[in-house]
Amino acid sequence: MIKRASALLLTIALLSGCAIQSGLEVPEQTMPEQWLNQQSASEAMVEHPLWWQQFESQELNQLVEKALAANTDLQAAAARVEQADAQLALAGSALFPTLGMNAGGSRSGTVGENGSSDTFSASLNASYELDLWGQIRNSRDAARASLLASRFNRDTVQLTVIASVVNTYLQVRYLQDNLALAEENLQLAQQVLAVVQAKVENGAVSPQDLAQQKTVVANAQAQLPSLQHQLRQSRYALAVLVGEMPQAFTVSGGQLDTLALPVIQADLPDQVLARRPDVAQAQAALMAADYAVAAARADYWPSISLTGSGGYASTELSSLFNGDALYSLGVSLAQTLFDGGARSARIDQSRAAWEEQVAGYTGTLLVALQEVEQSLSNVQSLADQQQYREEAYRQAEEAYRVAQVRYQEGETELTDVLSAQSSFNNARQNSLDLIYNQYLSRVTLYRVLGQGGGEAES
């Protein structure tokens, strides 16, 4: 986490110097002091870099560890960081002189005449381009900013992968509960079917009631294969996320509501933005574009190069280093006088790219603020629903119990039982959906708060 914070501070510090390089000014953004949907007064939030551990599932912890080690998206992002690191080394190499060595020998003579002469030589040569106008330095700094952007992109990918693993694991447990609920609904329908069957045999009700209830049972049975298929699909998706073959992957899961439900306090808006890797990536990309503008402007100035060489020449290889000592020194100045507007076009292109990054950076800030507000609102909305869902469940359960008793005693019609049964099934499904969405809302809130990016590796 210290590495991540240091990198972010470096990014912000370098970004503040952008105007010194290109003269272009980044529009200032006024950050809100509080969240609109803040549930309590903002205080320093207890950070959870390993936030998935708050669900208190050892199996989930192991799955996230596997994903951090073997997820292919993360491996690709790490490779892109290595590419950017190599590109920085390549760009920085132009600040140093180039050294070379030449050695050779030749024999010359006249065809048809005896005799020939030999010449042997060995020399060292060097060349160096003076970076008086900062073109090479700005190109190097643009590569350094791109390296920072690739590192923050890797952190963004890591955060997304972790959230995807947790969400998919929650989905597995949710579908397991959904399948169990569907099986219970089938059992309830079969119990009612047994009552209806007995009444038909006794002539208490018409065969129409029996046909209706058999329809309910068949519909309940039809739901099971679909839920089983969805459960398998979720397990396959989880296997890919953790870098394993779906055919050999297993996950135990368990009842959804046995997981702990984390309580999260959102930090202040500016602190949240400072933690989010996508914001840092946008800053670094803007910084790289700024350096690119400065490098493009340097094309208007002449390039100055220094060259030099020194060595020996002799007619005998054995006495090469006792032969004549040779040297040469040179300086060259190159200035483009007319290029049909190519330099101006390069500057316009780099400035347009800078403006694109400004818009992208501003958009990233706005989306980040929007995501946090929406996530906080969602958490609060789900919490507000809970007491009503619980009351609906209790009332639906009681209504179904009363309807069954009255039907068995011949005081009501089957349609009343079916209606009460449907309401009870819906209430149970709504309660399960609410629990599932509450867990998902925590995952989303952790993600939009920037938890679990580069810190998870520390």
Side-chain angles (χ1 to χ4, degrees):
M1 182 174 179
I2 294 176
K3 293 180 180 178
R4 165 76 184 281
S6 300
L8 181 56
L9 289 174
L10 176 61
T11 301
I12 296 174
L14 291 174
L15 183 61
S16 65
C18 280
I20 299 176
Q21 301 301 324
S22 68
L24 302 176
E25 296 289 344
V26 180
E28 293 186 4
Q29 301 294 330
T30 302
M31 293 296 103
E33 297 181 358
Q34 291 283 350
W35 303 109
L36 295 175
N37 295 288
Q38 188 71 38
Q39 299 174 33
S40 60
S42 289
E43 300 174 355
M45 188 184 72
V46 179
E47 294 189 12
H48 295 295
L50 309 179
W51 55 265
W52 56 91
Q53 297 180 358
Q54 302 301 309
F55 292 97
E56 299 179 5
S57 168
Q58 186 60 35
E59 184 177 44
L60 176 59
N61 296 342
Q62 293 172 352
L63 290 171
V64 173
E65 289 175 4
K66 288 181 180 180
L68 290 176
N71 181 269
T72 55
D73 290 337
L74 266 178
Q75 292 172 347
R80 288 194 292 271
V81 172
E82 293 178 0
Q83 293 176 47
D85 195 19
Q87 186 63 38
L88 172 59
L90 179 63
S93 66
L95 290 170
F96 298 92
T98 300
L99 300 177
M101 182 188 73
N102 291 319
S106 65
R107 171 171 290 183
S108 61
T110 302
V111 177
E113 297 182 5
N114 295 329
S116 62
S117 62
D118 297 332
T119 303
F120 300 93
S121 64
S123 64
L124 295 176
N125 55 73
S127 63
Y128 180 64
E129 181 177 352
L130 298 178
D131 189 31
L132 297 179
W133 325 118
Q135 184 179 42
I136 298 176
R137 290 192 303 274
N138 283 317
S139 297
R140 177 205 59 191
D141 292 340
R144 179 182 290 119
S146 295
L147 172 60
L148 280 174
S150 67
R151 287 175 178 170
F152 288 128
N153 174 258
R154 177 196 58 196
D155 292 346
T156 301
V157 172
Q158 177 174 297
L159 192 154
T160 302
V161 166
I162 293 173
S164 296
V165 170
V166 179
N167 279 336
T168 308
Y169 180 73
L170 292 173
Q171 186 179 56
V172 167
R173 297 183 72 144
Y174 166 70
L175 289 171
Q176 287 176 331
D177 284 359
N178 233 332
L179 184 58
L181 181 59
E183 291 171 346
E184 291 176 8
N185 290 340
L186 175 59
Q187 291 175 1
L188 292 176
Q190 289 172 336
Q191 290 172 6
V192 174
L193 178 61
V195 174
V196 175
Q197 183 76 46
K199 281 181 169 288
V200 170
E201 292 175 355
N202 294 328
V205 297
S206 70
Q208 180 182 351
D209 286 0
L210 181 61
Q212 283 183 301
Q213 190 56 30
K214 284 184 176 180
T215 301
V216 173
V217 171
N219 287 333
Q221 290 172 326
Q223 291 182 359
L224 299 182
S226 175
L227 290 172
Q228 291 165 350
H229 171 69
Q230 293 177 47
L231 180 56
R232 287 192 295 269
Q233 294 294 97
S234 295
R235 285 173 173 162
Y236 300 156
L238 188 55
V240 173
L241 284 170
V242 301
E244 294 190 9
M245 295 289 183
Q247 292 78 5
F249 179 76
T250 59
V251 57
S252 300
Q255 193 170 336
L256 184 61
D257 60 6
T258 58
L259 296 173
L261 187 65
V263 177
I264 310 172
Q265 170 64 42
D267 216 336
L268 295 172
D270 58 343
Q271 295 169 331
V272 169
L273 294 178
R275 188 185 300 112
R276 284 185 54 135
D278 57 338
V279 174
Q281 179 186 353
Q283 288 177 326
L286 175 56
M287 181 174 60
D290 184 87
Y291 282 121
V293 173
R297 286 177 175 172
D299 283 343
Y300 275 109
W301 299 96
S303 62
I304 302 175
S305 299
L306 304 178
T307 59
S309 64
Y312 294 91
S314 174
T315 59
E316 298 290 339
L317 180 61
S318 59
S319 60
L320 173 61
F321 295 103
N322 295 323
D324 298 331
L326 306 175
Y327 75 92
S328 69
L329 298 173
V331 59
S332 63
L333 183 148
Q335 172 66 60
T336 301
L337 299 179
F338 178 75
D339 59 6
R343 288 172 295 176
S344 177
R346 282 194 293 270
I347 293 176
D348 291 342
Q349 181 185 35
S350 61
R351 175 162 185 146
W354 177 86
E355 292 173 349
E356 178 187 2
Q357 294 302 328
V358 170
Y361 171 62
T362 303
T364 301
L365 289 178
L366 296 177
V367 169
L369 295 172
Q370 174 198 14
E371 288 180 340
V372 176
E373 287 290 5
Q374 287 180 336
S375 185
L376 288 171
S377 176
N378 188 37
V379 170
Q380 186 61 51
S381 173
L382 293 171
D384 293 341
Q385 294 177 41
Q386 185 167 355
Q387 60 175 330
Y388 302 112
R389 291 298 184 191
E390 291 174 352
E391 178 65 17
Y393 179 89
R394 287 192 297 268
Q395 296 301 328
E397 183 180 31
E398 176 63 15
Y400 179 53
R401 185 192 66 80
V402 171
Q404 282 184 301
V405 172
R406 294 188 64 198
Y407 182 73
Q408 290 173 355
E409 295 176 352
E411 297 179 359
T412 188
E413 300 294 332
L414 178 62
T415 54
D416 294 333
V417 178
L418 296 180
S419 177
Q421 183 183 38
S422 177
S423 297
F424 182 45
N425 291 344
N426 289 337
R428 295 203 300 169
Q429 184 66 57
N430 290 338
S431 295
L432 177 58
D433 290 346
L434 177 62
I435 294 171
Y436 177 51
N437 288 328
Q438 285 180 319
Y439 284 114
L440 292 182
S441 70
R442 266 56 175 187
V443 177
T444 301
L445 184 54
Y446 272 128
R447 179 181 61 80
V448 300
L449 291 177
Q451 294 282 340
E455 305 107 325
E457 296 178 343
S458 303

mmCIF file of all heavy atoms in Angstrom, residues 179-211:
data_model
loop_
_atom_site.group_PDB
_atom_site.id
_atom_site.type_symbol
_atom_site.label_atom_id
_atom_site.label_comp_id
_atom_site.label_asym_id
_atom_site.label_seq_id
_atom_site.Cartn_x
_atom_site.Cartn_y
_atom_site.Cartn_z
ATOM 1 N N LEU A 179 -31.881 -22.761 -5.811
ATOM 2 C CA LEU A 179 -32.223 -24.138 -6.164
ATOM 3 C C LEU A 179 -32.904 -24.834 -4.984
ATOM 4 O O LEU A 179 -33.913 -25.547 -5.164
ATOM 5 C CB LEU A 179 -30.967 -24.891 -6.582
ATOM 6 C CG LEU A 179 -31.149 -26.325 -7.081
ATOM 7 C CD1 LEU A 179 -32.097 -26.361 -8.279
ATOM 8 C CD2 LEU A 179 -29.795 -26.944 -7.438
ATOM 9 N N ALA A 180 -32.383 -24.607 -3.788
ATOM 10 C CA ALA A 180 -33.004 -25.203 -2.599
ATOM 11 C C ALA A 180 -34.416 -24.649 -2.395
ATOM 12 O O ALA A 180 -35.342 -25.388 -2.024
ATOM 13 C CB ALA A 180 -32.138 -24.922 -1.372
ATOM 14 N N LEU A 181 -34.577 -23.345 -2.653
ATOM 15 C CA LEU A 181 -35.896 -22.732 -2.512
ATOM 16 C C LEU A 181 -36.876 -23.307 -3.540
ATOM 17 O O LEU A 181 -38.041 -23.576 -3.217
ATOM 18 C CB LEU A 181 -35.776 -21.214 -2.690
ATOM 19 C CG LEU A 181 -37.065 -20.392 -2.557
ATOM 20 C CD1 LEU A 181 -37.697 -20.599 -1.193
ATOM 21 C CD2 LEU A 181 -36.780 -18.919 -2.805
ATOM 22 N N ALA A 182 -36.417 -23.511 -4.765
ATOM 23 C CA ALA A 182 -37.273 -24.093 -5.801
ATOM 24 C C ALA A 182 -37.683 -25.517 -5.440
ATOM 25 O O ALA A 182 -38.831 -25.929 -5.691
ATOM 26 C CB ALA A 182 -36.545 -24.077 -7.142
ATOM 27 N N GLU A 183 -36.759 -26.258 -4.836
ATOM 28 C CA GLU A 183 -37.098 -27.616 -4.408
ATOM 29 C C GLU A 183 -38.124 -27.603 -3.276
ATOM 30 O O GLU A 183 -39.021 -28.445 -3.219
ATOM 31 C CB GLU A 183 -35.826 -28.351 -3.982
ATOM 32 C CG GLU A 183 -34.887 -28.656 -5.149
ATOM 33 C CD GLU A 183 -33.542 -29.187 -4.701
ATOM 34 O OE1 GLU A 183 -33.241 -29.065 -3.492
ATOM 35 O OE2 GLU A 183 -32.789 -29.718 -5.547
ATOM 36 N N GLU A 184 -37.996 -26.616 -2.371
ATOM 37 C CA GLU A 184 -38.983 -26.486 -1.296
ATOM 38 C C GLU A 184 -40.343 -26.086 -1.856
ATOM 39 O O GLU A 184 -41.387 -26.584 -1.397
ATOM 40 C CB GLU A 184 -38.504 -25.453 -0.274
ATOM 41 C CG GLU A 184 -37.298 -25.900 0.540
ATOM 42 C CD GLU A 184 -36.800 -24.804 1.464
ATOM 43 O OE1 GLU A 184 -37.489 -23.756 1.566
ATOM 44 O OE2 GLU A 184 -35.726 -24.975 2.071
ATOM 45 N N ASN A 185 -40.346 -25.198 -2.835
ATOM 46 C CA ASN A 185 -41.609 -24.814 -3.474
ATOM 47 C C ASN A 185 -42.276 -26.024 -4.143
ATOM 48 O O ASN A 185 -43.501 -26.167 -4.116
ATOM 49 C CB ASN A 185 -41.363 -23.720 -4.525
ATOM 50 C CG ASN A 185 -40.981 -22.389 -3.881
ATOM 51 O OD1 ASN A 185 -41.236 -22.162 -2.694
ATOM 52 N ND2 ASN A 185 -40.375 -21.516 -4.659
ATOM 53 N N LEU A 186 -41.450 -26.880 -4.738
ATOM 54 C CA LEU A 186 -41.971 -28.089 -5.354
ATOM 55 C C LEU A 186 -42.596 -29.013 -4.302
ATOM 56 O O LEU A 186 -43.685 -29.580 -4.522
ATOM 57 C CB LEU A 186 -40.860 -28.815 -6.108
ATOM 58 C CG LEU A 186 -41.220 -30.177 -6.728
ATOM 59 C CD1 LEU A 186 -42.375 -30.028 -7.712
ATOM 60 C CD2 LEU A 186 -40.007 -30.794 -7.399
ATOM 61 N N GLN A 187 -41.933 -29.126 -3.165
ATOM 62 C CA GLN A 187 -42.480 -29.965 -2.093
ATOM 63 C C GLN A 187 -43.804 -29.423 -1.570
ATOM 64 O O GLN A 187 -44.757 -30.184 -1.325
ATOM 65 C CB GLN A 187 -41.464 -30.065 -0.946
ATOM 66 C CG GLN A 187 -40.209 -30.855 -1.292
ATOM 67 C CD GLN A 187 -39.188 -30.837 -0.180
ATOM 68 O OE1 GLN A 187 -39.412 -30.236 0.878
ATOM 69 N NE2 GLN A 187 -38.058 -31.494 -0.404
ATOM 70 N N LEU A 188 -43.881 -28.087 -1.434
ATOM 71 C CA LEU A 188 -45.141 -27.483 -0.985
ATOM 72 C C LEU A 188 -46.255 -27.749 -1.999
ATOM 73 O O LEU A 188 -47.393 -28.063 -1.624
ATOM 74 C CB LEU A 188 -44.956 -25.976 -0.784
ATOM 75 C CG LEU A 188 -44.045 -25.534 0.374
ATOM 76 C CD1 LEU A 188 -43.892 -24.011 0.371
ATOM 77 C CD2 LEU A 188 -44.601 -26.004 1.716
ATOM 78 N N ALA A 189 -45.908 -27.610 -3.283
ATOM 79 C CA ALA A 189 -46.911 -27.861 -4.324
ATOM 80 C C ALA A 189 -47.352 -29.321 -4.315
ATOM 81 O O ALA A 189 -48.536 -29.627 -4.529
ATOM 82 C CB ALA A 189 -46.341 -27.472 -5.683
ATOM 83 N N GLN A 190 -46.429 -30.221 -4.060
ATOM 84 C CA GLN A 190 -46.767 -31.642 -4.015
ATOM 85 C C GLN A 190 -47.637 -31.968 -2.796
ATOM 86 O O GLN A 190 -48.513 -32.845 -2.865
ATOM 87 C CB GLN A 190 -45.491 -32.485 -4.011
ATOM 88 C CG GLN A 190 -44.759 -32.467 -5.356
ATOM 89 C CD GLN A 190 -43.404 -33.133 -5.293
ATOM 90 O OE1 GLN A 190 -42.783 -33.225 -4.223
ATOM 91 N NE2 GLN A 190 -42.924 -33.606 -6.441
ATOM 92 N N GLN A 191 -47.388 -31.267 -1.685
ATOM 93 C CA GLN A 191 -48.227 -31.470 -0.505
ATOM 94 C C GLN A 191 -49.666 -31.034 -0.778
ATOM 95 O O GLN A 191 -50.617 -31.725 -0.407
ATOM 96 C CB GLN A 191 -47.650 -30.687 0.684
ATOM 97 C CG GLN A 191 -46.339 -31.246 1.220
ATOM 98 C CD GLN A 191 -45.709 -30.343 2.259
ATOM 99 O OE1 GLN A 191 -46.308 -29.334 2.673
ATOM 100 N NE2 GLN A 191 -44.511 -30.695 2.704
ATOM 101 N N VAL A 192 -49.809 -29.891 -1.443
ATOM 102 C CA VAL A 192 -51.150 -29.427 -1.799
ATOM 103 C C VAL A 192 -51.783 -30.402 -2.786
ATOM 104 O O VAL A 192 -52.994 -30.704 -2.714
ATOM 105 C CB VAL A 192 -51.093 -28.002 -2.384
ATOM 106 C CG1 VAL A 192 -52.476 -27.574 -2.882
ATOM 107 C CG2 VAL A 192 -50.578 -27.014 -1.345
ATOM 108 N N LEU A 193 -50.971 -30.918 -3.711
ATOM 109 C CA LEU A 193 -51.477 -31.882 -4.689
ATOM 110 C C LEU A 193 -52.028 -33.126 -3.997
ATOM 111 O O LEU A 193 -53.079 -33.666 -4.401
ATOM 112 C CB LEU A 193 -50.370 -32.268 -5.669
ATOM 113 C CG LEU A 193 -50.748 -33.316 -6.732
ATOM 114 C CD1 LEU A 193 -51.878 -32.797 -7.615
ATOM 115 C CD2 LEU A 193 -49.527 -33.673 -7.570
ATOM 116 N N ALA A 194 -51.353 -33.571 -2.963
ATOM 117 C CA ALA A 194 -51.831 -34.748 -2.225
ATOM 118 C C ALA A 194 -53.186 -34.480 -1.579
ATOM 119 O O ALA A 194 -54.079 -35.345 -1.576
ATOM 120 C CB ALA A 194 -50.801 -35.145 -1.171
ATOM 121 N N VAL A 195 -53.363 -33.257 -1.039
ATOM 122 C CA VAL A 195 -54.648 -32.894 -0.428
ATOM 123 C C VAL A 195 -55.744 -32.854 -1.493
ATOM 124 O O VAL A 195 -56.853 -33.372 -1.301
ATOM 125 C CB VAL A 195 -54.534 -31.536 0.292
ATOM 126 C CG1 VAL A 195 -55.903 -31.092 0.807
ATOM 127 C CG2 VAL A 195 -53.550 -31.627 1.444
ATOM 128 N N VAL A 196 -55.433 -32.232 -2.636
ATOM 129 C CA VAL A 196 -56.414 -32.128 -3.717
ATOM 130 C C VAL A 196 -56.769 -33.521 -4.233
ATOM 131 O O VAL A 196 -57.942 -33.823 -4.513
ATOM 132 C CB VAL A 196 -55.867 -31.238 -4.855
ATOM 133 C CG1 VAL A 196 -56.845 -31.225 -6.026
ATOM 134 C CG2 VAL A 196 -55.633 -29.819 -4.371
ATOM 135 N N GLN A 197 -55.770 -34.384 -4.370
ATOM 136 C CA GLN A 197 -56.004 -35.743 -4.850
ATOM 137 C C GLN A 197 -56.985 -36.485 -3.936
ATOM 138 O O GLN A 197 -57.919 -37.144 -4.413
ATOM 139 C CB GLN A 197 -54.673 -36.502 -4.908
ATOM 140 C CG GLN A 197 -54.773 -37.923 -5.454
ATOM 141 C CD GLN A 197 -54.939 -37.956 -6.957
ATOM 142 O OE1 GLN A 197 -54.240 -37.254 -7.667
ATOM 143 N NE2 GLN A 197 -55.887 -38.763 -7.432
ATOM 144 N N ALA A 198 -56.766 -36.321 -2.627
ATOM 145 C CA ALA A 198 -57.658 -36.978 -1.668
ATOM 146 C C ALA A 198 -59.074 -36.428 -1.765
ATOM 147 O O ALA A 198 -60.059 -37.168 -1.691
ATOM 148 C CB ALA A 198 -57.104 -36.808 -0.258
ATOM 149 N N LYS A 199 -59.202 -35.114 -1.941
ATOM 150 C CA LYS A 199 -60.531 -34.510 -2.044
ATOM 151 C C LYS A 199 -61.251 -34.975 -3.308
ATOM 152 O O LYS A 199 -62.465 -35.191 -3.317
ATOM 153 C CB LYS A 199 -60.407 -32.977 -2.024
ATOM 154 C CG LYS A 199 -60.191 -32.386 -0.633
ATOM 155 C CD LYS A 199 -60.095 -30.873 -0.712
ATOM 156 C CE LYS A 199 -60.162 -30.250 0.670
ATOM 157 N NZ LYS A 199 -61.503 -30.332 1.255
ATOM 158 N N VAL A 200 -60.499 -35.087 -4.402
ATOM 159 C CA VAL A 200 -61.117 -35.548 -5.647
ATOM 160 C C VAL A 200 -61.616 -36.990 -5.485
ATOM 161 O O VAL A 200 -62.712 -37.352 -5.937
ATOM 162 C CB VAL A 200 -60.117 -35.441 -6.819
ATOM 163 C CG1 VAL A 200 -60.662 -36.145 -8.060
ATOM 164 C CG2 VAL A 200 -59.832 -33.973 -7.134
ATOM 165 N N GLU A 201 -60.790 -37.814 -4.871
ATOM 166 C CA GLU A 201 -61.187 -39.208 -4.668
ATOM 167 C C GLU A 201 -62.433 -39.334 -3.782
ATOM 168 O O GLU A 201 -63.232 -40.256 -3.951
ATOM 169 C CB GLU A 201 -60.027 -39.978 -4.054
ATOM 170 C CG GLU A 201 -58.846 -40.143 -5.019
ATOM 171 C CD GLU A 201 -57.652 -40.794 -4.347
ATOM 172 O OE1 GLU A 201 -57.719 -41.028 -3.110
ATOM 173 O OE2 GLU A 201 -56.645 -41.039 -5.049
ATOM 174 N N ASN A 202 -62.606 -38.345 -2.860
ATOM 175 C CA ASN A 202 -63.776 -38.362 -1.978
ATOM 176 C C ASN A 202 -64.959 -37.600 -2.574
ATOM 177 O O ASN A 202 -66.012 -37.479 -1.940
ATOM 178 C CB ASN A 202 -63.432 -37.769 -0.609
ATOM 179 C CG ASN A 202 -62.437 -38.637 0.148
ATOM 180 O OD1 ASN A 202 -62.442 -39.861 -0.009
ATOM 181 N ND2 ASN A 202 -61.587 -37.995 0.940
ATOM 182 N N GLY A 203 -64.733 -37.042 -3.762
ATOM 183 C CA GLY A 203 -65.810 -36.309 -4.417
ATOM 184 C C GLY A 203 -66.071 -34.949 -3.831
ATOM 185 O O GLY A 203 -67.109 -34.349 -4.111
ATOM 186 N N ALA A 204 -65.111 -34.414 -3.043
ATOM 187 C CA ALA A 204 -65.313 -33.109 -2.407
ATOM 188 C C ALA A 204 -65.057 -31.954 -3.367
ATOM 189 O O ALA A 204 -65.624 -30.864 -3.209
ATOM 190 C CB ALA A 204 -64.417 -32.974 -1.177
ATOM 191 N N VAL A 205 -64.170 -32.168 -4.354
ATOM 192 C CA VAL A 205 -63.860 -31.113 -5.328
ATOM 193 C C VAL A 205 -63.862 -31.730 -6.708
ATOM 194 O O VAL A 205 -63.811 -32.959 -6.869
ATOM 195 C CB VAL A 205 -62.506 -30.435 -5.036
ATOM 196 C CG1 VAL A 205 -62.521 -29.725 -3.694
ATOM 197 C CG2 VAL A 205 -61.379 -31.461 -5.094
ATOM 198 N N SER A 206 -63.867 -30.886 -7.713
ATOM 199 C CA SER A 206 -63.914 -31.368 -9.089
ATOM 200 C C SER A 206 -62.506 -31.714 -9.581
ATOM 201 O O SER A 206 -61.509 -31.211 -9.041
ATOM 202 C CB SER A 206 -64.519 -30.295 -9.997
ATOM 203 O OG SER A 206 -63.618 -29.208 -10.130
ATOM 204 N N PRO A 207 -62.390 -32.528 -10.617
ATOM 205 C CA PRO A 207 -61.087 -32.834 -11.218
ATOM 206 C C PRO A 207 -60.363 -31.600 -11.750
ATOM 207 O O PRO A 207 -59.152 -31.636 -11.977
ATOM 208 C CB PRO A 207 -61.446 -33.792 -12.357
ATOM 209 C CG PRO A 207 -62.735 -34.406 -11.933
ATOM 210 C CD PRO A 207 -63.481 -33.331 -11.205
ATOM 211 N N GLN A 208 -61.109 -30.526 -11.935
ATOM 212 C CA GLN A 208 -60.452 -29.291 -12.403
ATOM 213 C C GLN A 208 -59.410 -28.816 -11.400
ATOM 214 O O GLN A 208 -58.334 -28.367 -11.780
ATOM 215 C CB GLN A 208 -61.502 -28.196 -12.625
ATOM 216 C CG GLN A 208 -60.887 -26.881 -13.106
ATOM 217 C CD GLN A 208 -61.923 -25.787 -13.282
ATOM 218 O OE1 GLN A 208 -63.131 -26.054 -13.202
ATOM 219 N NE2 GLN A 208 -61.469 -24.591 -13.527
ATOM 220 N N ASP A 209 -59.731 -28.909 -10.101
ATOM 221 C CA ASP A 209 -58.761 -28.528 -9.074
ATOM 222 C C ASP A 209 -57.501 -29.384 -9.172
ATOM 223 O O ASP A 209 -56.373 -28.901 -9.008
ATOM 224 C CB ASP A 209 -59.367 -28.677 -7.687
ATOM 225 C CG ASP A 209 -60.373 -27.579 -7.374
ATOM 226 O OD1 ASP A 209 -60.587 -26.715 -8.254
ATOM 227 O OD2 ASP A 209 -60.938 -27.578 -6.267
ATOM 228 N N LEU A 210 -57.687 -30.669 -9.443
ATOM 229 C CA LEU A 210 -56.547 -31.570 -9.555
ATOM 230 C C LEU A 210 -55.671 -31.180 -10.743
ATOM 231 O O LEU A 210 -54.425 -31.156 -10.641
ATOM 232 C CB LEU A 210 -57.046 -33.011 -9.716
ATOM 233 C CG LEU A 210 -55.961 -34.090 -9.814
ATOM 234 C CD1 LEU A 210 -55.111 -34.103 -8.554
ATOM 235 C CD2 LEU A 210 -56.597 -35.449 -10.067
ATOM 236 N N ALA A 211 -56.288 -30.859 -11.862
ATOM 237 C CA ALA A 211 -55.526 -30.449 -13.044
ATOM 238 C C ALA A 211 -54.765 -29.153 -12.785
ATOM 239 O O ALA A 211 -53.609 -28.989 -13.212
ATOM 240 C CB ALA A 211 -56.458 -30.291 -14.237
#
